[in-house]
């Protein structure tokens, strides 16, 4: 009768190796709705803005505005971004086979590429080699044809665009060796409890390679469903481009009210003037009276049939509004500034040049401003319980296997 011990240890070896898949938050879904989401991405080498955008099949200008980088710089799409720069990548999060993910990214293989190098290096651990293999039905991962187009399934969550009933956009963040859950919570202005609820975590323990869904406070639009930019949501402290580069919207600081104005790249755009008014998009005027402050504004109502919809509104408010404040913009970064030992900053940093406010052709006049979710957590949140440190896992598995082999009686 065979000794069961080596068989048992071999099974343990197989099971431990199978746990190499990184942990990520899974959001079940049952419809075709999509949402805006973000990826936390660290550049693996120096890349042009256009090259980073091409890796994720996104608009280069959308990439820049999501990171509050000034788009008015000459030839900004060809600006070279430094290696190890942290960026927020705006993506569309869809519902695929009952799970939230983004599958709009495709990667064309190059010589010397492997599934591991694509997942770990080029896409900075946002996807695993096994996930790429499964998404592309690859039988032999050791054989990749040069120029082969691969679907890259990227993690994302929507949770109805809210966090604790307030507007939010979710960032998929890859845990680093030096990270703690408390440091991540502090960096992104949230709490340990919120992070644990969102990711269905039973403890604060995290491992390098885990992918966390981090809720970021945001400004939500109220555009009609038939608008091309329906569902636009902008994280606090940043910008978004819309209406074919004609309109730039910002969020904060100080409030979560979406503010849109003509973009600095606005060329050949439809009219941005409110009907029956001399106000342009983003203009706000007010008049103080004994009854309060009469406020008239020209606001953005979405991009419909290649037309910029503007809405003129008048209201009586207790006090007149303050001048519009904008999130600080940075020059296109040329170096990486390490300001923290822990998680990377939520937005890229410049090389020391001064910040700026968005440029526009409209000058405001005086008196105007241009499966078992935790209690209270997002419904449908599941945190897949996989080990996320492949190197240590494989070392342990190898030791177990070696012990099993040496334990076989002669």
């Amino acid at each position: 009768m065979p000794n069961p011990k080596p068989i048992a240890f071999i099974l343990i070896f197989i099971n431990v190796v199978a746990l190499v898949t990184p942990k990520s938050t899974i959001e079940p879904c049952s419809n075709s709705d999509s949402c805006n989401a973000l990826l936390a991405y660290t550049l693996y080498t120096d890349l042009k803005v256009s090259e980073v955008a091409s890796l994720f099949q996104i608009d280069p200008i959308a990439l820049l505005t999501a990171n509050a980088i000034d788009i008015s710089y000459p030839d900004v799409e060809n600006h070279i971004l430094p290696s190890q720069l942290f960026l927020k990548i705006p993506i569309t999060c869809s519902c695929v086979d009952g799970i939230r993910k983004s599958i709009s990214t495709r990667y064309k293989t190059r010589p010397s590429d492997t599934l591991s190098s694509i997942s770990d290096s080029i896409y900075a651990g946002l996807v695993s080699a096994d996930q790429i293999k499964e998404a592309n039905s690859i039988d032999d991962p050791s054989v990749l044809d040069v120029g082969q187009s691969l679907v890259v399934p990227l993690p994302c969550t929507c949770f109805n665009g809210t966090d604790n009933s307030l507007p939010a956009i979710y960032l998929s963040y890859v845990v680093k060796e030096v990270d703690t859950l408390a440091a991540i919570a502090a960096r992104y202005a949230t709490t340990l409890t919120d992070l644990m609820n969102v990711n269905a975590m039973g403890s604060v323990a995290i491992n390098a390679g885990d992918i966390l869904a981090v809720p970021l406070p945001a400004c939500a639009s109220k555009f009609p469903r038939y608008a091309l930019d329906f569902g636009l949501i902008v994280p606090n402290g940043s910008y978004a481009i819309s209406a074919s580069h004609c309109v730039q919207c910002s969020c904060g600081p100080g409030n979560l009210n979406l503010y849109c104005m003509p973009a600095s790249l606005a060329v050949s755009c439809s009219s941005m003037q409110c009907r029956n008014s001399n106000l342009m998009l983003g203009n706000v005027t007010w008049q103080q009276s004994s009854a309060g402050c009469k406020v008239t504004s020209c606001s953005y109502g979405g991009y419909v049939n290649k037309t910029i919809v503007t809405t003129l509104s008048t209201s009586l408010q207790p006090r007149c509004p303050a001048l519009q404040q904008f999130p600080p913009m940075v020059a296109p970064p040329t170096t990486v500034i390490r300001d923290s030992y822990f998680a990377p900053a939520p937005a890229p940093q410049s090389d020391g040049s001064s910040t700026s406010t968005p440029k526009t052709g409209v000058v405001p006049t005086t008196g105007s401003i241009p499966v078992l979710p935790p209690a209270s957590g997002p419904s449908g949140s599941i945190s897949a319980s996989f080990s996320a440190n492949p190197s240590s896992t494989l070392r342990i598995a190898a030791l177990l296997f070696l012990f099993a082999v040496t334990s076989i009686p002669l």
Side-chain angles (χ1 to χ4, degrees):
M1 182 176 181
N3 189 337
K5 183 184 293 184
I7 297 175
F9 273 102
I10 290 172
L11 289 175
I12 292 174
F13 174 81
I14 293 172
N15 288 332
V16 171
V17 172
L19 297 178
V20 172
T21 306
K23 181 173 73 175
S24 61
T25 300
I26 299 172
E27 180 190 359
C29 54
S30 59
N31 54 50
S32 58
D33 287 346
S34 61
C35 74
N36 298 316
L38 293 169
L39 301 171
Y41 178 66
T42 302
L43 270 64
Y44 67 99
T45 187
D46 292 354
L47 290 173
K48 293 180 181 179
V49 171
S50 58
E51 289 177 314
V52 179
S54 180
L55 273 181
F56 295 93
Q57 277 85 67
I58 61 172
D59 179 4
I61 301 301
L63 170 64
L64 293 169
T65 54
N67 291 278
I69 298 175
D70 195 341
I71 60 176
S72 66
Y73 276 70
D75 200 27
V76 69
E77 294 182 31
N78 285 315
H79 176 80
I80 298 176
L81 300 172
S83 176
Q84 298 306 302
L85 179 70
F86 175 80
L87 292 170
K88 291 179 291 187
I89 307 294
I91 61 169
T92 299
C93 187
S94 305
C95 183
V96 183
D97 297 328
I99 295 175
R100 291 287 183 195
K101 66 177 71 172
S102 175
I103 58 168
S104 59
T105 296
R106 302 191 74 92
Y107 175 76
K108 187 170 290 187
T109 57
R110 300 171 296 188
S112 77
D113 275 342
T114 65
L115 292 186
S116 293
S117 68
I118 294 171
S119 63
D120 297 337
S121 178
I122 295 174
Y123 287 98
L126 286 164
V127 63
S128 71
D130 284 342
Q131 288 169 332
I132 298 177
K133 177 184 175 182
E134 181 181 352
N136 295 275
S137 302
I138 297 174
D139 294 326
D140 187 356
S142 65
V143 180
L144 292 179
D145 297 328
V146 175
Q148 183 176 351
S149 180
L150 298 177
V151 173
V152 182
L154 297 168
C156 62
T157 48
C158 295
F159 294 130
N160 296 320
T162 62
D163 177 46
N164 296 314
S165 301
L166 294 176
I169 186 168
Y170 285 83
L171 173 79
S172 294
Y173 177 81
V174 182
V175 174
K176 308 295 187 295
E177 289 282 357
V178 296
D179 281 335
T180 64
L181 199 63
I184 296 172
R187 177 54 60 97
Y188 291 103
T190 187
T191 64
L192 275 173
T193 300
D194 203 14
L195 275 184
M196 292 176 69
N197 283 343
V198 166
N199 294 280
M201 299 172 65
S203 74
V204 297
I206 53 176
N207 297 301
D210 287 356
I211 301 176
L212 300 177
V214 181
L216 306 180
C219 297
S221 63
K222 297 180 181 178
F223 307 150
R225 184 171 291 274
Y226 51 81
L228 289 177
D229 46 5
F230 169 75
L232 178 67
I233 187 167
V234 183
N236 190 262
S238 66
Y239 297 80
I241 199 78
S242 190
S244 192
H245 292 178
C246 289
V247 175
Q248 183 168 297
C249 300
S250 62
C251 181
N255 63 68
L256 293 179
N257 298 319
L258 190 68
Y259 178 81
C260 300
M261 60 189 286
S264 60
L265 299 179
V267 178
S268 301
C269 300
S270 64
S271 174
M272 298 194 208
Q273 183 173 347
C274 273
R275 291 182 179 180
N276 305 317
S277 167
N278 60 357
L279 296 184
M280 299 292 291
L281 178 64
N283 284 163
V284 179
T285 62
W286 63 84
Q287 183 177 3
Q288 184 71 57
S289 70
S290 58
C293 188
K294 182 181 179 182
V295 180
T296 303
S297 62
C298 180
S299 57
Y300 179 55
Y303 193 50
V304 180
N305 296 327
K306 298 185 178 180
T307 299
I308 296 170
V309 177
T310 56
T311 303
L312 186 69
S313 62
T314 301
S315 62
L316 187 65
Q317 301 179 10
R319 59 178 62 88
C320 293
L323 291 174
Q324 177 66 35
Q325 292 184 319
F326 297 96
M329 278 189 168
V330 299
T334 56
T335 59
V336 176
I337 301 173
R338 303 288 184 182
D339 69 338
S340 172
Y341 179 72
F342 295 103
Q349 303 147 18
S350 69
D351 56 358
S353 56
S354 61
T355 59
S356 62
T357 54
K359 298 176 176 63
T360 174
V362 177
V363 181
T365 58
T366 303
S368 67
I369 53 176
V371 167
L372 288 179
S376 75
S379 178
S381 172
I382 306 174
S383 184
S385 55
F386 300 122
S387 169
N389 192 333
S391 58
S392 61
T393 302
L394 287 174
R395 283 196 295 270
I396 295 171
L399 289 173
L400 289 173
F401 181 71
L402 181 62
F403 178 79
V405 173
T406 56
S407 300
I408 300 174
L410 297 176

